[in-house]
Amino acid sequence: MNVPWVNLTIQYQNIRTEINSAIQTILDHGDFILGQDVAKLEEEFAAYCGTKYAVGVDNGLSALELSLRALGIEPGHEVIVPTHTFTATAAAVTLSGATPVFVDADPETCNIDPAKIEAAITPRTRAIIPVHLYGLPANMDMVLQIAKKHNLVVVEDACQAHGGHYNGNRVGSLGNAAGFSFYPTKNLGAYGDGGMVTTNDAKVAETIRALRNCGQREKNVHELIPFNHRLDNLQAAILRVKLRHLDEWIGLRRKWAALYTQLLAGSNLVLPVEPAGYEHVYHLYVVRSQQRDALMAYLKERGIGTAIHYPKPVHLQPYYSNGVDRRGQFPVAEKICNEIISLPMFPELTEEQVEFVSSEIVGARVPITSGS
């Protein structure tokens, strides 16, 4: 049996009539740039997340960068980010002109360790970006308490957590703003790049609408930095179709995650956690093993796809290390990055596939030692 890490074509086949109809409508009407489907998706996604506003942009990085800019982040400022994340989290800070200040990971959740945030705050700190990594919300109560105490803004990096809940509220509705990615492999993915900002702040939404469209609040009057970060109307139409299916797909992800957790309970792997009050939407199902590379090679031989998210923390990336050996600076994140494996996870998995993957792991002829 072959089990890919992800398969995007099955999902398309299941909804191809809806998708093709949406695409054909765009082509028939010639409604391509900031069209009515962008406006409708913004309304629908805001309602889905429980926010007043949503603004479509061209990708998740832009969503984070424009959120920071709209909230007043600029050169000379510092923004706290986790080092265990995709580089785009820090890149959004860099592109805004500010400086990312890294914080280590929580060893249980792999998200930013809120107990280590305050030590990173300086007089130049203006914001915190908690990442809802792999689909598990960050500890937003602690993040928001710290932000309030130090008068900081909070921008959620929700690029991996569409539809997740934290204490009954959707992610994307918890901070001053939030950035989402619609990269094709996301829980809500386009057929190309796309992104969205959600916020309850009318001024932030209005500023981002202008920033994304060449700095225009009115046509041909360019008041702000003239970026071109618009969400494509064709992608918006596709996303509107897929949004109607998102909760069903999340339910399937959670079903397969629960089955993995049940079947792998005796494997000695470190399995994902879901603290009380959190709803993990399993963009990724990530386990940990000290024999990560050997286990991945073993599974590959048996036709099982795996991946690593992410193999190197951001503070060790060449751009951010600046030629300095920073190994050991954030030991928890470094340890996590040496142990993590993303197992196959997509809604269209079958019970047989999950059982096959799990049985191969449990019966692997390589020593699987806990990553804890």
Side-chain angles (χ1 to χ4, degrees), residues 44-89:
E44 292 161 3
F45 196 72
Y48 181 81
C49 292
T51 59
K52 293 180 180 178
Y53 310 101
V55 184
V57 295
D58 55 347
N59 57 63
L61 171 54
S62 296
L64 295 171
E65 178 196 352
L66 297 188
S67 294
L68 292 172
R69 289 180 177 275
L71 287 162
I73 305 304
E74 58 188 29
H77 293 164
E78 293 177 350
V79 177
I80 291 173
V81 301
T83 190
H84 181 45
T85 182
F86 184 57
T87 304
T89 310

Side-chain angles (χ1 to χ4, degrees), residues 52-364:
K52 293 180 180 178
Y53 310 101
V55 184
V57 295
D58 55 347
N59 57 63
L61 171 54
S62 296
L64 295 171
E65 178 196 352
L66 297 188
S67 294
L68 292 172
R69 289 180 177 275
L71 287 162
I73 305 304
E74 58 188 29
H77 293 164
E78 293 177 350
V79 177
I80 291 173
V81 301
T83 190
H84 181 45
T85 182
F86 184 57
T87 304
T89 310
V93 180
T94 302
L95 292 172
S96 74
T99 300
V101 175
F102 299 110
V103 170
D104 211 346
D106 180 289
E108 183 178 19
T109 66
C110 297
N111 280 326
I112 192 169
D113 187 341
K116 297 177 180 176
I117 291 176
E118 284 200 275
I121 294 174
T122 76
R124 294 180 296 278
T125 307
R126 295 294 185 275
I128 306 172
I129 304 181
V131 180
H132 306 312
L133 195 67
Y134 306 149
L136 177 68
N139 186 334
M140 291 302 295
D141 282 350
M142 290 191 66
V143 169
L144 292 170
Q145 288 170 11
I146 294 167
K148 182 178 181 180
K149 177 180 177 181
H150 295 275
N151 194 29
L152 308 176
V153 297
V154 174
V155 176
E156 300 170 67
D157 183 337
C159 290
Q160 300 184 16
H162 318 67
H165 284 86
Y166 178 82
N167 288 336
N169 297 305
R170 295 269 195 195
V171 301
S173 67
L174 304 167
N176 298 89
F180 290 84
S181 167
F182 297 134
Y183 187 79
T185 58
K186 304 296 186 182
N187 288 19
L188 180 61
Y191 292 157
D193 276 316
M196 187 76 76
V197 176
T198 54
T199 183
N200 287 311
D201 187 320
K203 183 178 180 181
V204 168
E206 185 271 338
T207 300
I208 294 173
R209 291 184 195 280
L211 285 170
R212 73 174 176 183
N213 190 27
C214 298
Q216 302 173 97
R217 288 190 169 95
E218 59 179 287
K219 191 171 183 178
N220 296 320
V221 179
H222 304 274
E223 302 176 54
L224 304 177
I225 299 175
F227 293 115
N228 183 354
H229 289 315
R230 300 177 298 227
L231 175 62
D232 184 274
N233 199 52
L234 191 63
Q235 298 298 342
I238 292 165
L239 289 163
R240 290 186 66 210
V241 171
K242 298 182 81 173
L243 181 58
R244 297 196 289 266
H245 298 273
L246 180 56
D247 284 342
E248 174 190 356
W249 292 336
I250 289 172
L252 288 168
R253 287 177 180 272
R254 288 179 56 79
K255 175 182 177 180
W256 303 135
L259 184 56
Y260 270 134
T261 298
Q262 174 190 334
L263 297 175
L264 294 174
S267 68
N268 206 29
L269 293 173
V270 176
L271 305 179
V273 298
E274 187 179 58
Y278 296 61
E279 183 181 274
H280 200 320
V281 291
Y282 294 100
H283 167 56
L284 301 168
Y285 188 89
V286 179
V287 300
R288 293 170 57 189
S289 169
Q290 291 182 2
Q291 285 72 42
R292 185 262 306 283
D293 294 344
L295 180 57
M296 290 181 71
Y298 180 89
L299 295 176
K300 183 178 180 181
E301 292 175 357
R302 281 144 187 83
I304 297 170
T306 58
I308 303 174
H309 297 86
Y310 299 93
K312 185 179 292 188
V314 184
H315 73 279
L316 297 184
Q317 292 291 344
Y319 181 83
Y320 287 105
S321 62
N322 295 315
V324 177
D325 186 354
R326 301 181 69 181
R327 286 177 296 180
Q329 188 172 357
F330 300 105
V332 177
E334 291 175 32
K335 179 177 174 60
I336 287 170
C337 288
N338 287 328
E339 298 173 348
I340 47 178
I341 312 172
S342 297
L343 299 183
M345 174 53 71
F346 49 96
E348 297 79 19
L349 279 169
T350 67
E351 186 170 337
E352 182 182 19
Q353 287 176 316
V354 175
E355 289 175 345
F356 173 69
V357 173
S358 302
S359 65
E360 289 296 328
I361 291 173
V362 172

